[in-house]
Amino acid sequence: MSARTTRNRMLAAAAITFATLTLAACNDGGGVREEGASKVTGSTQSPSTSATPSSPSDKTNEGTSTGAGQTANDTTGTTGSKDSSGSTGSKDSTGSNDSAAATSTRCSSTTTRTTATEVSRPLNHVLLTVTNTSAGNCNLIGYPAVRFGEAQSVPPAFEDSKPQAVVTLAPGESGYASVLLSAADGSGSNGYTAKSLSVLLNNSTGDAARPSLPAKGVYVDDSISVSYWQSTMADALTW
């Protein structure tokens, strides 16, 4: 065996011996201590990741904040208890309307002034004007019941002239209705000249207004018809 081979074997044996001693030293507790140190480190980190207990001042602040929230909620509840709908109900406009309706009465000959005016357009028409002379509102309901001269019946109304609402007159205001006296083309029959006129304002019984007619009178035939009461002169003369 050569000297070089012998040296190599000795180096190999020395390396094995060194490795054996090193392994023994590791198993002697050094490795365990290192693992233990790792566990301690994990244990040390655990408190740092847990929630920090609130200090007394924090609890005080938290309580104060909660109290403020409850106060706000309580205030909201109080606002709800003071619902404005109650106030609105006490000021219900419907009550006012009912009150106004209760104080409005049918217009009568004693609370109004009635005139009859012969107009040039449309032909053969008389315009009735009723003015409220009272201190309160009054209603013109339906159409006027008119009688010219000695007529025994009242003429019909143009149904198409019926307004959507009753005509209400405030003090000083006027309502209007037109009367077609005779056919414009002369087709009417049983004509006569009338020099007097009576008007029941609401097509009902009661005191009649007696507006004056022109001195020569007006010519009437069986074509006579009236309009419903209107709030404007123009509407009345449409019929």
Side-chain angles (χ1 to χ4, degrees):
M1 179 180 300
S2 63
R4 184 175 180 179
T5 301
T6 302
R7 188 181 61 179
N8 289 340
R9 288 181 175 180
M10 292 178 64
L11 290 173
I16 292 172
T17 301
F18 179 78
T20 301
L21 293 173
T22 302
L23 180 61
C26 290
N27 290 333
D28 194 31
V32 174
R33 284 195 298 271
E34 183 177 358
E35 181 180 358
S38 175
K39 289 183 178 180
V40 170
T41 303
S43 170
T44 304
Q45 291 175 350
S46 177
S48 65
T49 57
S50 63
T52 303
S54 301
S55 64
S57 60
D58 292 338
K59 292 182 179 180
T60 303
N61 293 336
E62 181 180 357
T64 304
S65 176
T66 304
Q70 292 176 346
T71 302
N73 291 336
D74 292 342
T75 302
T76 303
T78 304
T79 303
S81 64
K82 296 180 180 179
D83 189 358
S84 60
S85 61
S87 301
T88 303
S90 63
K91 297 179 181 178
D92 188 359
S93 60
T94 304
S96 300
N97 291 336
D98 291 343
S99 177
T103 59
S104 294
T105 59
R106 292 192 177 202
C107 298
S108 69
S109 60
T110 59
T111 60
T112 59
R113 181 179 66 255
T114 303
T115 61
T117 306
E118 193 173 15
V119 296
S120 57
R121 289 288 185 276
L123 293 175
N124 305 336
H125 275 69
V126 164
L127 176 69
L128 300 178
T129 302
V130 175
T131 303
N132 183 5
T133 58
S134 70
N137 294 351
C138 72
N139 299 323
L140 287 172
I141 300 173
Y143 57 89
V146 299
R147 281 190 173 87
F148 285 88
E150 301 301 324
Q152 299 301 307
S153 62
V154 298
F158 296 107
E159 287 301 321
D160 289 345
S161 68
K162 187 175 183 178
Q164 294 184 349
V166 170
V167 176
T168 299
L169 304 181
E173 288 186 339
S174 298
Y176 308 88
S178 63
V179 182
L180 170 64
L181 298 173
S182 59
D185 60 1
S187 61
S189 58
N190 302 316
Y192 62 97
T193 297
K195 294 187 176 183
S196 65
L197 170 64
S198 66
V199 181
L200 290 173
L201 301 184
N202 297 292
N203 193 24
S204 60
T205 59
D207 293 336
R210 299 184 182 278
S212 60
L213 294 174
K216 64 180 180 61
V218 295
Y219 181 77
V220 180
D221 66 23
D222 56 10
S223 300
I224 186 171
S225 298
V226 301
S227 75
Y228 279 78
W229 291 112
Q230 309 291 329
S231 58
T232 69
M233 185 185 304
D235 287 342
L237 291 176
T238 301
W239 309 99

